Amino acid sequence: LQGDWSSDVCSSDLAARMLEKINLENTSREVSPDEKAQIYVQIAELWFEEDDAVNAEKFINKAAHIIHLVKA
């Protein structure tokens, strides 16, 4: 899930929408809180790049709910 999602090849809007579709809650693979928080923040950053604070805030809030589980 790493990479430059905001490159010229892929718009921030499209990248955010693609990342949103990843099911981080009910998967056969355990997704750590660190990974979830990183993805949520990445999606929020992409929405901020598109000047869409409403969608960005949704993912900032998701990250905020699990940030206490993230290992420093």
Side-chain angles (χ1 to χ4, degrees):
L1 298 175
Q2 297 295 322
D4 183 11
W5 288 94
S6 60
S7 70
D8 292 335
V9 176
C10 188
S11 73
S12 297
D13 177 74
L14 180 59
R17 291 181 191 282
M18 290 173 61
L19 286 173
E20 283 181 341
K21 291 183 180 183
I22 298 171
N23 184 348
L24 299 175
E25 301 304 322
N26 300 318
T27 64
S28 58
R29 180 179 85 85
E30 180 69 30
V31 181
S32 73
D34 297 33
E35 290 175 303
K36 288 179 188 179
Q38 181 180 4
I39 293 168
Y40 292 151
V41 170
Q42 187 174 20
I43 294 170
E45 288 173 343
L46 290 166
W47 282 124
F48 278 129
E49 286 179 18
E50 291 294 315
D51 293 322
D52 189 339
V54 173
N55 276 320
E57 183 180 15
K58 179 171 61 173
F59 287 93
I60 291 297
N61 288 336
K62 285 186 176 197
H65 282 89
I66 62 167
I67 201 70
H68 67 281
L69 301 173
V70 174
K71 297 176 183 168

